[in-house]
Amino acid sequence: MTATSTAVGIAGAVRSGERSARSVVEEHLAVIAARDAELHACNHVMVDDALATADAVDAAVARGEDAGPLAGVPVVLKDNLCTRGVPTTCSSRILDGWRPPYTATVVERLLLAGGIPVAKANLDEFAMGSSTENSAFGPTRNPHDTSRVPGGSSGGSAAAVAAGYAPLALGSDTGGSIRQPAALCGVVGVKPTYGRVSRFGLVAFASSLDQIGPLATTVDDAALLLEAIWGPDAMDSTAIPSQPEALGGDTDIAGMRIGIVEELTDVEGIAPEVKAAVERAAAGLDAAGARVERVSVPSCAYGLSAYYLIAPAEASSNLARYDGVRYGLRVDAADVAEMNAKTRDAGFGAEVKRRIMLGTYALSAGYYDAYYGQAQKVRTLIIRDFAQAYERFDVLLSPTSPTEAFPLGAKTADPLAMYLSDVCTIPTNLAGHSAMSVPFGTGAEGLPVGVQVLAPAQGESVMFRVARAVEGIVA
Ligand code: GLN
């Protein structure tokens, strides 16, 4: 990455008047125009809005004002983030024609910081999926190999950053949807601590797990965006009320204690070269002065099972609002109940319907204790096991995705195989902790591999320090 193509480099050049925000935006819009017919990372390109925002940034610079830490930096937004007056589809037919009457807090904050939203990115419908193939508008392709998936559900955001549409993107992560596509597209992806970033204006999937976070080409760029969007927000009662500690620029990891999570690394299903990447990263961290050991976090093995009860249960409730009255699509019928049913049948795709049915079943009388209740107990065990691990370790390490990017269509007929894509990322969401994926070389098929750095709640500062160290190791 050259300094002028990173967010840090662009913001520096725009703030000093060396480059205009308009020229930066025009350059990136040209990349989108050249590549998106093939990649389909975008649902909607905000050409006029982006140029108008860029002109406002340039005018501020001309007046001698501070244009902000993201001055002139193009940012791609996952299309489940509300943008006032701009279509927000969640890649679902049920939101056809809906234009939100308000803007997500994260988008307001990045605008305040001088950032420039340039496009709404494709995703798996309502963020349910791991390949972006569940989009109602067709899949996104991986820029490293267009016969492969970019991962998901923030596949459009990850592909956009990897293809140079923008140095930064925002995604959402409920069970791995920022980190897994980041790994498959060779970019950095961060899931902050639950509550660290306001969810106001993020269309809800599973409210106790959802978190918004950055995708970027470098760890420092991800830090720049995270610092622009995080912090308390009166519009989200689950936002942590205190101001977070700044991320700093430290890379020193001497004496740091780092644990490789056995249950997420030394298990069947993790490709040998992915495991080898974690080992090489660990060896590099050890050489830089950290003390690396294996650690068992036993209940992590049950994370996936618990997640596929809790997330669908919450989704079945959150998605009840799409009734043909308040949002987007309506299929007319003789009476209201039939209109509701026909609208939902036509508006939701197969995976969304599957989740609603799974969730409704897990919550129904007679099954609640056996399914939802048990899953909540597993969640408590995961929190307890992580707490024990963090008594001995500052951060933990694991693969992000079990494999490199897989071919389009490889897992669409087998939902369970698709669900396994998130086996390494889900425990973090259940615990409410932070974790990030850092690109680390390539695998057997020559495609990107990511290493996951996990940290306790509000442990972003130490997590970024280790991520910078991983980034500096020659993979
Ligand atoms: N792939 C997981 C799922 O389908 C995670 C999705 C996400 O994090 N939004 O639920």
Side-chain angles (χ1 to χ4, degrees):
M1 271 310 116
T2 58
T4 47
S5 61
T6 63
V8 171
I10 290 170
V14 170
R15 286 171 98 167
S16 68
E18 189 188 312
R19 291 185 75 180
S20 72
R22 177 172 263 269
S23 72
V24 171
V25 168
E26 281 172 346
E27 212 172 83
H28 287 86
L29 289 175
V31 177
I32 298 176
R35 291 217 65 190
D36 209 49
E38 184 187 17
L39 297 179
H40 189 220
C42 300
N43 285 343
H44 177 72
V45 185
M46 301 162 70
V47 178
D48 296 339
D49 285 340
L51 291 172
T53 312
D55 288 344
V57 168
D58 287 332
V61 173
R63 288 193 301 269
E65 291 167 16
D66 181 354
L70 292 176
V73 180
V75 186
V76 167
L77 308 174
K78 189 176 183 177
D79 201 15
N80 60 354
L81 292 167
C82 290
T83 39
R84 188 158 72 95
V86 177
T88 299
T89 68
C90 295
S91 291
S92 180
R93 300 224 176 272
I94 210 150
L95 285 175
D96 239 6
W98 184 60
R99 288 169 193 254
Y102 61 94
T103 295
T105 296
V106 289
V107 179
E108 297 279 16
R109 287 189 183 171
L110 81 84
L111 284 165
L112 268 176
I116 306 192
V118 290
K120 303 295 296 282
N122 198 9
L123 65 151
D124 285 297
E125 185 174 3
F126 284 104
M128 297 173 188
S130 308
S131 67
T132 318
E133 292 166 294
N134 294 337
S135 166
F137 310 133
T140 296
R141 291 172 182 271
N142 191 315
H144 295 273
D145 175 347
T146 54
S147 71
R148 309 235 171 190
V149 302
S153 62
S154 311
S157 300
V161 171
Y165 291 12
L168 297 174
L170 285 174
S172 66
D173 190 312
T174 305
S177 278
I178 292 174
R179 292 161 286 161
Q180 184 259 9
L184 268 41
C185 289
V187 302
V188 176
V190 184
K191 194 221 75 88
T193 302
Y194 184 79
R196 234 333 142 215
V197 176
S198 167
R199 291 182 295 112
F200 179 73
L202 168 68
V203 178
F205 164 10
S207 308
S208 78
L209 302 160
D210 299 341
Q211 228 354 237
I212 299 168
L215 295 108
T217 57
T218 69
V219 173
D220 280 340
D221 274 6
L224 189 72
L225 180 53
L226 181 56
E227 288 185 333
I229 59 169
W230 71 2
D233 180 19
M235 300 304 283
D236 175 3
S237 62
T238 63
I240 299 171
S242 61
Q243 197 52 45
E245 174 195 352
L247 290 170
D250 280 0
T251 52
D252 182 15
I253 54 155
M256 203 172 276
R257 300 159 307 162
I258 300 175
I260 301 177
V261 183
E262 284 171 353
E263 288 76 8
L264 305 180
T265 310
D266 305 320
V267 288
E268 211 194 304
I270 308 291
E273 64 279 5
V274 171
K275 182 173 164 180
V278 176
E279 306 278 4
R280 285 200 313 279
L285 294 169
D286 189 79
R291 218 183 58 217
V292 188
E293 283 172 46
R294 284 261 183 315
V295 57
S296 172
V297 187
S299 52
C300 272
Y302 307 110
L304 190 82
S305 311
Y307 172 88
Y308 276 100
L309 291 164
I310 294 170
E314 295 185 19
S316 69
S317 162
N318 275 326
L319 271 56
R321 73 190 67 178
Y322 305 106
D323 55 4
V325 177
R326 288 171 288 184
Y327 304 90
L329 185 76
R330 168 184 295 193
V331 179
D332 283 319
D335 60 47
V336 174
E338 201 190 330
M339 181 277 285
N340 289 160
K342 284 195 161 158
T343 299
R344 289 168 69 83
D345 184 38
F348 288 137
E351 184 60 30
V352 174
K353 288 176 182 162
R354 184 177 297 124
R355 303 288 177 109
I356 293 172
M357 286 189 280
L358 279 172
T360 308
Y361 185 77
L363 289 174
S364 58
Y367 296 104
Y368 184 96
D369 289 340
Y371 293 111
Y372 185 73
Q374 285 294 103
Q376 291 292 17
K377 286 181 191 164
V378 170
R379 191 169 188 177
T380 302
L381 290 178
I382 288 175
I383 293 169
R384 198 191 64 188
D385 287 354
F386 269 126
Q388 269 172 17
Y390 285 122
E391 281 172 15
R392 292 173 46 221
F393 296 96
D394 299 297
V395 299
L396 302 175
L397 225 54
S398 83
T400 305
S401 158
T403 65
E404 292 163 72
F406 44 90
L408 280 136
K411 300 187 183 182
T412 40
D414 183 355
L416 290 183
M418 188 71 88
Y419 294 174
L420 280 165
S421 307
D422 298 294
V423 68
C424 301
T425 47
I426 277 171
T428 291
N429 300 76
L430 290 170
H433 291 173
S434 51
M436 64 194 284
S437 183
V438 184
F440 199 80
T442 50
E445 311 197 64
L447 292 160
V449 169
V451 166
Q452 184 176 219
V453 182
L454 301 89
Q458 306 199 52
E460 278 84 357
S461 177
V462 66
M463 176 175 83
F464 269 82
R465 203 193 304 182
V466 174
R468 274 188 209 96
V470 171
E471 188 176 49
I473 298 165
V474 180

